[in-house]
Amino acid sequence: MDSQTGHPRRWHILGVMVFSLLAVVLDNTILNVAVKTIADPVHGLGATQSELEWAMNSYTLVFAGLLFTFGVLGDRYGRKRMLLVGMVLFGLSSLVSAYAQTPTQLIGARALMGLGGAAIMPATLAIISNVFPVHERGRAIGIWAGGVGIAVAIGPITGGLLLEHFWWGSVFLVNVPIVLVAVWLITIVVPDSRHPDKSGLDPIGVLLSIAGLVSLVYGIVRISDLGTVADVSVVVPSLAGLAVLAVFVWYEQRIEHPAFDVRHFRNPAFTTAISSVGLVFFAAMGVMFFMAFYWQIVRGYSPLESGALVLPFAIAQLIFAPRSARVVEKYGAKAVGTAAMAVITLCLAAYALVTVDTPVWMLLALGFVQGTAMANIMPPATTAIMNALPREKAGVGSSMSNVVRQVGGTLSIAVLGAALSAVYRNDMEARVSALPEQLRHAVSESISGAAGVAGHLGPDGARLMDAANHAFVEGIHWAALVSATVALIGTLVVVRWMPGRTAPEAAPPVVPEAERQEAVVG
């Protein structure tokens, strides 16, 4: 394959990569609308709140913890091979999830789905980076990001349609035909690529990355479980994870063939891009997650309707993400990144003005503008990350990008969720003193609990839900302000360190001669 012209079938390969990622992205969004049904003891599994959280967290824990490892394995043994392994694992575990008989079985099957997803995600972006020349890579990654945006939007809609006509397991079973078609397309269309140097597996570095990421993400998801950061089960694993990752960085600097050469962080384009990805996902994901509860509980929309209300955000991604590379070429990464981050900051701050009866069209317009801004920061940042690494390390670069996304998004939902819950709880405790203690706890713990209690209180239930809705919206206000502050920090990072229009193409630091060989593409 000519590195200047790319693979002759590169655009077909891009289409297969976007389709292959569809199942993973769909699953992450479909499950949100199925949670209430899975909790139902008649139509679901009768899962408790804790079991539902771990049905989501088991996936997150395995997925985030093994992303880097599968990136390294793909670089060494072949990205196509890792992609096929991931698709098969994801399809089989989706089938098991669909027919789980107990919450424990579902939690275990979801962990296996995380294993498959961790193999799929880095391989898709690594393959794209290998088959496209540098001058087309930005556009290709933009199209890839646009496809992800569409999958994010159609996930809740698909979940809503399935739950209206089928049982809860259909939200997992829908992955199986997607996986079967994807495996067939990958087999006949996608070439394989790998690192030509077989000496650089770095098992100690890989094990350190797994231990550090799993421990850190476990500490983060415990914040969601407990609603606080001030607990030993949060602090100890989080600090232990950070310590192990620090050892990982120290170790990687001292070996000849590191799994990830940490000297890449000396490259301002790479470091700024990684930072902006993490900050954007932390800033945006929490508010977007909690707005799903706003639509369904506060505003009373069905899962299908609330899924449709995400469409403006996705449409903006579809329209503008593929065009982001041209915008960057015209105005420069610094100007585009700064403008996009500033708009994201303003959009998140605007959620602090949302009320219980804000006109829907305003929120749809806000989602469209936010989607447009994210479409103009995420693809260029991802392209900068991939361009900063040699092509034979594309799997590692893709993994780094996705690890930062996953950790940022998980941390956002956990930390902002704890803040929102604290505001909601403080507001509600003073309003429900007349209720029995058991009901008082359920009402003040979450808006979902308040909705369940209100349904059995007759006329008094309406007054209770009115109080709960206002308390929840007040919590969204505080979460939005924290998100906007984080986005503002991201804006300042881009302004200070993102290379401008005239900056040279991001290049990797000096690496051993063997690592500068062309990746083998078959």
Side-chain angles (χ1 to χ4, degrees):
M1 184 189 73
D2 189 340
S3 62
Q4 298 300 314
T5 60
H7 196 282
R9 293 184 297 173
R10 58 192 179 278
W11 296 106
H12 297 88
I13 295 167
L14 174 61
V16 175
M17 293 301 95
V18 172
F19 183 80
S20 299
L21 200 58
L22 182 64
V24 176
V25 181
L26 275 177
D27 178 75
N28 286 335
T29 54
I30 280 180
L31 184 59
N32 291 335
V33 303
V35 165
K36 291 175 66 177
T37 306
I38 295 173
D40 192 304
V42 177
H43 301 101
L45 296 176
T48 65
Q49 181 68 27
S50 176
E51 289 168 335
L52 289 173
E53 289 172 354
W54 275 106
M56 293 186 282
N57 291 340
S58 62
Y59 177 95
T60 301
L61 196 63
V62 175
F63 181 74
L66 293 178
L67 269 171
F68 183 81
T69 299
F70 275 110
V72 173
L73 293 176
D75 285 342
R76 180 177 175 87
Y77 296 112
R79 292 140 193 156
K80 178 178 179 178
R81 183 177 300 176
M82 284 300 106
L83 182 57
L84 286 170
V85 168
M87 294 303 300
V88 171
L89 276 174
F90 197 86
L92 291 175
S93 53
S94 295
L95 190 63
V96 174
S97 296
Y99 291 100
Q101 300 298 305
T102 66
T104 302
Q105 290 178 9
L106 179 61
I107 291 168
R110 287 282 297 161
L112 290 176
M113 290 178 72
L115 188 66
I120 295 168
M121 184 69 83
T124 59
L125 195 52
I127 290 170
I128 291 170
S129 294
N130 266 268
V131 300
F132 280 90
V134 172
H135 66 276
E136 290 182 344
R137 198 174 292 162
R139 183 184 174 198
I141 291 176
I143 294 172
W144 175 85
V148 171
I150 284 296
V152 167
I154 67 175
I157 296 174
T158 303
L161 286 171
L162 290 170
L163 291 173
E164 284 188 0
H165 297 92
F166 304 101
W167 95 114
W168 66 268
S170 62
V171 301
F172 298 110
L173 199 61
V174 71
N175 295 332
V176 176
I178 297 174
V179 166
L180 291 175
V181 173
V183 167
W184 174 67
L185 290 173
I186 292 165
T187 302
I188 64 174
V189 175
V190 178
D192 202 3
S193 60
R194 61 174 62 85
H195 195 311
D197 185 2
K198 294 292 185 181
S199 63
L201 182 58
D202 181 19
I204 295 177
V206 169
L207 290 174
L208 285 172
S209 73
I210 294 173
L213 287 171
V214 168
S215 182
L216 176 61
V217 174
Y218 176 80
I220 292 171
V221 299
R222 287 294 291 162
I223 300 174
S224 297
D225 294 344
L226 302 171
T228 178
V229 298
D231 188 272
V232 67
S233 65
V234 172
V235 175
V236 171
S238 298
L239 291 179
L242 291 172
V244 173
L245 291 176
V247 173
F248 168 78
V249 171
W250 174 85
Y251 178 77
E252 295 297 279
Q253 294 180 73
R254 285 160 175 77
I255 62 172
E256 185 178 356
H257 296 286
F260 176 71
D261 192 337
V262 294
R263 289 174 294 176
H264 290 297
F265 284 109
R266 298 173 186 172
N267 184 333
F270 177 83
T271 304
T272 306
I274 281 282
S275 301
S276 62
V277 166
L279 291 169
V280 166
F281 265 70
F282 181 92
M285 289 301 102
V287 172
M288 292 178 66
F289 179 78
F290 301 127
M291 284 301 292
F293 292 90
Y294 171 84
W295 287 124
Q296 291 192 43
I297 299 179
V298 177
R299 301 302 291 262
Y301 290 107
S302 69
L304 178 59
E305 291 169 333
S306 63
L309 291 167
V310 185
L311 279 177
F313 176 87
I315 291 171
Q317 294 274 307
L318 180 65
I319 294 172
F320 295 104
R323 294 169 169 79
S324 60
R326 294 180 182 176
V327 178
V328 170
E329 288 176 9
K330 184 174 182 179
Y331 298 105
K334 182 188 286 286
V336 174
T338 300
M341 290 298 300
V343 172
I344 291 171
T345 302
L346 292 174
C347 287
L348 292 172
Y351 284 105
L353 304 176
V354 169
T355 65
V356 173
D357 54 0
T358 297
V360 172
W361 71 266
M362 289 186 179
L363 296 174
L364 297 182
L366 184 61
F368 184 85
V369 174
Q370 183 180 343
T372 301
M374 291 187 68
N376 281 285
I377 185 64
M378 297 309 300
T382 304
T383 303
I385 294 168
M386 301 306 296
N387 286 347
L389 298 174
R391 289 174 58 206
E392 60 267 25
K393 290 287 189 179
V396 171
S398 175
S399 297
M400 286 295 293
S401 173
N402 285 296
V403 164
V404 171
R405 288 172 187 244
Q406 188 67 33
V407 171
T410 304
L411 186 61
S412 173
I413 293 172
V415 173
L416 297 183
L420 189 154
S421 296
V423 172
Y424 173 85
R425 191 160 44 245
N426 290 337
D427 199 329
M428 289 301 293
E429 283 177 352
R431 299 171 181 261
V432 295
S433 56
L435 291 174
E437 182 177 352
Q438 185 176 0
L439 296 181
R440 191 161 62 241
H441 175 76
V443 169
S444 60
E445 189 65 24
S446 69
I447 191 171
S448 300
V453 172
H456 297 87
L457 295 181
D460 292 335
R463 288 191 292 272
L464 175 63
M465 278 311 300
D466 184 62
N469 289 340
H470 282 87
F472 184 79
V473 169
E474 182 68 18
I476 289 180
H477 293 169
W478 283 97
L481 291 174
V482 173
S483 297
T485 302
V486 173
L488 179 60
I489 294 171
T491 306
L492 298 176
V493 168
V494 172
V495 169
R496 175 64 181 85
W497 287 290
M498 179 71 79
R501 183 178 178 183
T502 59
E505 185 71 43
V510 177
V511 294
E513 179 64 30
E515 293 193 10
R516 291 202 297 267
Q517 297 179 35
E518 187 68 34
V520 178
V521 179

